[in-house]
Amino acid sequence: MAKTKIEQTIQIIKDQISNKSLIAGSRLPSVRQLAAQLNCSVSTIVEAYARLVAEGILESRLGSGYYVLGKTDEILFVEPETQYQREIDPLWISRQSLEAKNEVLKPGCGWLPTSWMPEHSVRKALKQAAKSDAVMLIDYAIPHGHLELRKLIARKKELYQLKSQLNQIMITDSATQSIDLIFRYLLTAGDVILIDDPCYFNFRALIKAHHLKAVAIPFTKNGPDVEKFEQALRLKPKIYLTNSGIHNPTGTVISLQTVYQISKLVEQTDLMIIEDEIFADFEYTPAPRYASFTGFKHVIQIGSFTKTLSAAVRCGYIIADPKLVESLIDLRIATNFSHSFLNAEIIYQALMDSSYPKHLDWLKKQLLKLTNEMIPKLSRLGIRPWIIPTAGIFLWCTLPKGIQAAELSKLCLKYGVILAPGNSFSQMDEAGQFMRFNVTQCVDKRVFDTLEMAIQQLKTH
Amino acid sequence: MAKTKIEQTIQIIKDQISNKSLIAGSRLPSVRQLAAQLNCSVSTIVEAYARLVAEGILESRLGSGYYVLGKTDEILFVEPETQYQREIDPLWISRQSLEAKNEVLKPGCGWLPTSWMPEHSVRKALKQAAKSDAVMLIDYAIPHGHLELRKLIARKKELYQLKSQLNQIMITDSATQSIDLIFRYLLTAGDVILIDDPCYFNFRALIKAHHLKAVAIPFTKNGPDVEKFEQALRLKPKIYLTNSGIHNPTGTVISLQTVYQISKLVEQTDLMIIEDEIFADFEYTPAPRYASFTGFKHVIQIGSFTKTLSAAVRCGYIIADPKLVESLIDLRIATNFSHSFLNAEIIYQALMDSSYPKHLDWLKKQLLKLTNEMIPKLSRLGIRPWIIPTAGIFLWCTLPKGIQAAELSKLCLKYGVILAPGNSFSQMDEAGQFMRFNVTQCVDKRVFDTLEMAIQQLKTH
């Protein structure tokens, strides 16, 4: 694209700073001088100087002119280091995946490749949002959050036969933030919390940040082990945190019987179930939900739009008892003040567009196809799925005998492949031979080539 | 605007649901039937049905057609209640101001009226952002956050002779979230924290949420009382939280001598100063900063763009020691996972535009003019500023003798005027006769009329 005169002028000045012909503290020529020198209009120079002030490169001193600001040259042209080495802990996969450069392969990460996401819908929603009332662009949101988005969430929950009033719903900035707020309000350090084993590794990071005592309930192919769950109730846990739709990392869907058994147990206690709905939009047929059985007396639902719409537009929700929501709002004001009204508006616009359900249909078909193709590819390496999921993006697999997931992950990282070793998901450290694969991140043949080479290497040593 | 055929069809169906001619669970006519009936194309009906599915009003059952979803009619047309009554506590002003309907006057709130904000810049930035790389719109941000925004922040800090490397800066979703993260990492329940008296009321809400012991340091016309500060160091406080630029609520600017004295004291301890920069862009000439004296060994700077750009676009920052930043990033992943990449991009685009510094120039002139006009108006009511601020939006005032700020606030609320009573800002409950006014929210004559009437009423009772 051809540069405008203003952009050319800005580039000339930046070049002079970079080659030190203009050093920090130097006064720039007057607007008229430079206009004459560069043979352009005074207004061009005025705008160029104004933009350089906005960029923090020049400083305007009243009545005195423009000066090069501080050590601008050093900051302007430096690239930050992003080296980061650490032991495998619950944050290991997140940090590795978030820091990863483009050329790195990420079969271990928990999200879809950018190209699989509805980029068009997000851009369209953004343009729509640019036309909305100033209030949406400028002001704090009302305490419960974006009204129309709450209405939409309430309507969508009807699919699960779940009734919710608008004052039971609050908009947050993410599913993680939703859980964090609930933990902060309902729990204190040392409290007992039940989690699935295996479970989403960030649940473990969150529990650590809150200094809670996590008690792991083995997750079977039908959901949590009911007998173990009942035994654990003796420890007076305050919360059970789970994904009851599509379970992370196993891809399991909980059975109707299990939901019924657990619901009956929970109704006799003060325990709250937090039901994380983050993978709900990947489901073909809605799996049973705890909230549909017991209502919001014993269940809090949380969710977000990160997995199927955008992770850059932060938006999530909480559905709970209205009084609890009131208290959570107070806590949110104290600790975050407001959710992003604009993000909620963008999400709302994207969800309301007919292209989103169409995208979901396409996505679900792709996932099914890819999962079916991937199973034999893994089998050839001696890697076998623990269960064949009916929906979602994950395959929870056992590794060939003698291969440890942590070792394999460290080795593959050297070759530019980020894996998700089983024990990151296991409170009881009993998943050392398991690995979670994200099927959408395994399209590149190099994933399997690297796995094969690394497994061979580990076997011979 | 004329409705398209698709929109007309959607409206017809919504009307039928609203007047109960289509009840929950009803099957809709087939696409062909309805097209014939409404005399429009099949594709029009297909799109109308698809949008109603996206809106959560219809459900599509494979091979069977479209059905009205659950209790859609009830949720679709209900307006939520927003009644909220509570005692005056540190959250009172926030909740009242955030819940307020348009016709309510808010001289007590802490932000500018929407019309004072650079709406044009935000819209322009949003359109720019809609054209950015898919990564910005879809993906999680890198752990430290938006790189170019960090560079820009580093350059702008040069104005304060403040050197910062890019790995010292992390982007967050708000100033409040920045403080919250730091508290969570550095403090545990029961720790001692120093605050100014008076101070921003949400600092107090945050301290309460963290179960900290707040020790109040009287805030003089030159900044914190140095003698009292020195005495308080005996209690081994871990943090001193303050706005050193333009102080909230007093509008005071801290003196060079005070910064020097406090810096010398702090350097001999393990205390960290959190310097909240949220009002920095209102300054004519930069006031001294603690960070400029001692660097980031004893100071953490936090800030946001809420007051002068947008509160709907959530974006803030932390500048601190690089190791501390590393730990804060881990904590952020556990508790929020990521900041909003998109919001950071919008803020970056808006800041880089030359219209922003121009808007600030206009804003500062308006503020000065308004502050000067307001002082005599308040004086006529016996309300006098404690200090005449050199910049910013606040006037911290004493009320006429015998008038209590809490009573006046409760009375004015009945007349639709939300005030900010002094004790919300005072840990020591010593500001019962003070009131904070936001000059930008006092343009309407009714503010003064209501104040006059209410003061009269309180005097006669």
Side-chain angles (χ1 to χ4, degrees), chain A residues 47 55 84 137 155 326, chain B residues 55 84 137 155 310 326 354:
Chain A
E47 177 62 18
E55 285 194 41
Y84 200 76
L137 306 176
R155 292 198 299 270
E326 271 299 319
Chain B
E55 285 194 41
Y84 201 75
L137 305 176
R155 292 199 298 270
S310 165
E326 272 297 320
S354 63

Side-chain angles (χ1 to χ4, degrees), chain A residues 47 50-51 53-57 59 69-72 75-76 78-81 84 86 91 94-95 98-99 111 114 117-119 122-123 126-127 129-143 147 150-152 154-156 158-159 163-164 166-167 173-174 176-177 180 184 200 202 205-206 209-210 306-307 309-314 326 329-331 333-343 346 351-354 357-358, chain B residues 47 50-51 53-57 59 69-72 75-76 78-81 84 86 91 94-95 98-99 111 114 117-119 122-123 126-127 129-143 147 150-152 154-156 158-159 163-164 166-167 173-174 176-177 180 184 200 202 205-206 209-210 306-307 309-314 326 329-331 333-343 346 351-354 357-358:
Chain A
E47 177 62 18
R51 285 198 205 164
V53 168
E55 285 194 41
I57 290 169
E59 176 186 5
L69 194 58
K71 298 263 173 193
T72 305
I75 296 167
L76 199 57
V78 75
E79 283 297 318
E81 315 157 62
Y84 200 76
R86 66 195 294 162
L91 284 175
S94 308
R95 282 297 294 253
L98 291 171
E99 309 262 5
W111 53 86
T114 318
M117 299 288 277
E119 183 187 328
V122 177
R123 284 194 201 278
L126 212 62
K127 281 177 209 156
K131 288 182 225 153
S132 32
D133 281 356
V135 168
M136 295 282 178
L137 306 176
I138 297 293
D139 289 2
Y140 291 108
I142 52 173
L147 176 61
R150 280 187 286 140
K151 286 188 188 175
L152 181 57
R155 292 198 299 270
K156 296 223 169 201
E158 291 287 333
L159 266 176
K163 311 281 165 232
S164 50
L166 294 176
N167 62 353
D173 286 327
S174 67
T176 310
Q177 189 190 54
D180 186 49
R184 288 178 86 161
Y200 173 39
N202 210 54
L206 197 51
H210 283 266
T306 304
K307 299 296 176 186
L309 254 178
S310 165
V313 186
R314 308 297 290 154
E326 271 299 319
I329 288 172
D330 272 3
L331 183 60
I333 293 177
T335 57
N336 289 271
F337 210 78
S338 173
H339 81 91
S340 171
F341 213 2
L342 177 68
N343 285 358
I346 294 167
L351 290 176
M352 289 284 282
D353 195 82
S354 63
K358 285 174 199 160
Chain B
E47 177 62 17
R51 284 200 206 165
V53 169
E55 285 194 41
I57 290 170
E59 176 186 4
L69 194 59
K71 297 260 173 196
T72 306
I75 297 167
L76 198 56
V78 77
E79 281 298 318
E81 314 157 63
Y84 201 75
R86 66 193 298 160
L91 283 175
S94 307
R95 281 299 292 253
L98 291 170
E99 309 261 3
W111 53 87
T114 318
M117 299 288 278
E119 183 187 327
V122 177
R123 283 192 203 280
L126 215 62
K127 281 177 209 155
K131 288 182 226 151
S132 33
D133 281 357
V135 168
M136 295 281 177
L137 305 176
I138 297 293
D139 289 1
Y140 291 108
I142 52 173
L147 176 62
R150 280 187 286 141
K151 286 188 189 175
L152 181 57
R155 292 199 298 270
K156 296 223 170 202
E158 291 286 335
L159 266 176
K163 311 281 166 233
S164 49
L166 294 177
N167 62 354
D173 287 327
S174 67
T176 310
Q177 189 190 55
D180 185 50
R184 287 178 88 161
Y200 173 40
N202 211 54
L206 197 51
H210 284 266
T306 304
K307 299 297 176 186
L309 253 178
S310 165
V313 185
R314 309 298 288 155
E326 272 297 320
I329 288 173
D330 271 3
L331 184 60
I333 293 178
T335 58
N336 290 270
F337 210 78
S338 173
H339 80 90
S340 174
F341 212 3
L342 177 67
N343 285 9
I346 294 168
L351 290 175
M352 289 284 283
D353 195 82
S354 63
K358 284 174 200 161

Side-chain angles (χ1 to χ4, degrees), chain B residues 29-249:
Chain B
S30 77
V31 169
R32 268 163 217 291
Q33 277 173 340
L34 193 60
Q37 204 179 314
L38 299 179
N39 197 20
C40 60
S41 74
V42 166
S43 65
T44 298
I45 308 297
V46 168
E47 177 62 17
Y49 280 2
R51 284 200 206 165
L52 286 162
V53 169
E55 285 194 41
I57 290 170
L58 298 186
E59 176 186 4
S60 146
R61 298 189 197 151
L62 209 67
S64 161
Y66 292 87
Y67 292 80
V68 178
L69 194 59
K71 297 260 173 196
T72 306
D73 46 343
E74 289 169 19
I75 297 167
L76 198 56
F77 306 103
V78 77
E79 281 298 318
E81 314 157 63
T82 51
Q83 283 171 348
Y84 201 75
Q85 289 192 345
R86 66 193 298 160
E87 282 306 294
I88 294 184
D89 66 12
L91 283 175
W92 186 87
I93 304 166
S94 307
R95 281 299 292 253
Q96 297 294 349
S97 308
L98 291 170
E99 309 261 3
K101 307 245 184 249
N102 279 338
E103 62 274 19
V104 169
L105 298 166
K106 297 179 283 193
C109 89
W111 53 87
L112 301 180
T114 318
S115 60
W116 281 61
M117 299 288 278
E119 183 187 327
H120 168 75
S121 305
V122 177
R123 283 192 203 280
K124 196 173 158 193
L126 215 62
K127 281 177 209 155
Q128 287 280 353
K131 288 182 226 151
S132 33
D133 281 357
V135 168
M136 295 281 177
L137 305 176
I138 297 293
D139 289 1
Y140 291 108
I142 52 173
H144 281 82
H146 197 289
L147 176 62
E148 292 303 322
L149 182 57
R150 280 187 286 141
K151 286 188 189 175
L152 181 57
I153 291 168
R155 292 199 298 270
K156 296 223 170 202
K157 293 293 172 187
E158 291 286 335
L159 266 176
Y160 303 89
Q161 299 195 32
L162 207 56
K163 311 281 166 233
S164 49
Q165 299 300 313
L166 294 177
N167 62 354
Q168 289 186 263
I169 305 178
M170 93 185 246
I171 306 298
T172 65
D173 287 327
S174 67
T176 310
Q177 189 190 55
S178 301
I179 303 174
D180 185 50
L181 276 172
I182 297 163
F183 276 15
R184 287 178 88 161
Y185 185 70
L186 290 182
L187 303 177
T188 46
D191 278 351
V192 174
I193 178 168
L194 305 184
I195 50 172
D196 301 319
D197 200 315
C199 73
Y200 173 40
F201 50 78
N202 211 54
F203 287 171
R204 297 182 57 212
L206 197 51
I207 285 167
K208 204 177 147 193
H210 284 266
H211 311 288
L212 306 173
K213 267 187 218 144
V215 173
I217 308 295
F219 205 76
T220 75
K221 288 167 189 179
N222 292 314
D225 183 315
V226 177
E227 210 173 301
K228 293 274 163 60
F229 190 95
E230 188 169 11
Q231 286 165 15
L233 289 178
R234 286 180 217 147
L235 303 168
K236 306 269 175 212
K238 295 210 172 142
I239 279 179
Y240 167 46
L241 175 62
T242 190
N243 322 92
S244 41
I246 302 169
H247 182 253
N248 181 3

Side-chain angles (χ1 to χ4, degrees), chain A residues 294-349:
Chain A
T294 65
F296 292 103
K297 212 182 143 201
H298 287 279
V299 181
I300 304 169
Q301 277 201 347
I302 63 108
S304 84
F305 313 94
T306 304
K307 299 296 176 186
T308 46
L309 254 178
S310 165
V313 186
R314 308 297 290 154
C315 189
Y317 62 85
I318 297 174
I319 315 181
D321 175 81
K323 273 192 193 159
L324 178 58
V325 168
E326 271 299 319
S327 304
L328 292 172
I329 288 172
D330 272 3
L331 183 60
R332 189 247 297 274
I333 293 177
T335 57
N336 289 271
F337 210 78
S338 173
H339 81 91
S340 171
F341 213 2
L342 177 68
N343 285 358
E345 173 68 9
I346 294 167
I347 293 293
Y348 174 70
Q349 293 290 352

Side-chain angles (χ1 to χ4, degrees), chain B residues 216-413:
Chain B
I217 308 295
F219 205 76
T220 75
K221 288 167 189 179
N222 292 314
D225 183 315
V226 177
E227 210 173 301
K228 293 274 163 60
F229 190 95
E230 188 169 11
Q231 286 165 15
L233 289 178
R234 286 180 217 147
L235 303 168
K236 306 269 175 212
K238 295 210 172 142
I239 279 179
Y240 167 46
L241 175 62
T242 190
N243 322 92
S244 41
I246 302 169
H247 182 253
N248 181 3
T250 64
T252 307
V253 162
I254 185 170
S255 77
L256 209 53
Q257 289 73 21
T258 307
V259 176
Y260 175 61
Q261 298 291 346
I262 298 282
S263 298
K264 278 199 301 177
L265 286 173
V266 167
E267 279 197 327
Q268 295 159 30
T269 69
D270 293 330
L271 183 99
M272 270 284 180
I273 299 176
I274 302 180
E275 193 160 51
D276 178 359
E277 293 284 299
I278 197 161
F279 295 104
D281 275 355
F282 289 114
E283 286 180 293
Y284 275 94
T285 32
R289 296 294 200 273
Y290 293 109
S292 307
F293 277 61
T294 65
F296 292 104
K297 211 182 143 199
H298 287 279
V299 182
I300 303 170
Q301 276 202 348
I302 63 109
S304 85
F305 313 93
T306 304
K307 299 297 176 186
T308 45
L309 253 178
S310 165
V313 185
R314 309 298 288 155
C315 189
Y317 63 85
I318 297 173
I319 315 180
D321 175 81
K323 273 193 193 159
L324 179 58
V325 168
E326 272 297 320
S327 305
L328 292 172
I329 288 173
D330 271 3
L331 184 60
R332 189 247 296 276
I333 293 178
T335 58
N336 290 270
F337 210 78
S338 173
H339 80 90
S340 174
F341 212 3
L342 177 67
N343 285 9
E345 172 69 9
I346 294 168
I347 292 294
Y348 173 70
Q349 293 290 352
L351 290 175
M352 289 284 283
D353 195 82
S354 63
S355 67
Y356 180 65
K358 284 174 200 161
H359 171 78
L360 285 182
D361 284 343
W362 170 85
L363 193 61
K364 288 184 225 174
K365 275 179 203 141
Q366 285 297 108
L367 283 173
L368 208 60
K369 184 170 159 276
L370 219 58
T371 306
N372 283 329
E373 286 169 6
M374 194 167 151
I375 291 168
K377 286 189 205 167
L378 288 170
S379 276
R380 242 169 272 139
L381 305 174
I383 302 173
R384 282 171 227 291
W386 178 71
I387 194 171
I388 296 177
T390 53
I393 60 174
F394 297 127
L395 272 179
W396 178 243
C397 299
T398 54
L399 296 177
K401 217 181 160 187
I403 301 293
Q404 289 300 313
E407 280 176 46
L408 185 60
S409 302
K410 280 186 182 171
L411 188 55
C412 283
L413 187 61

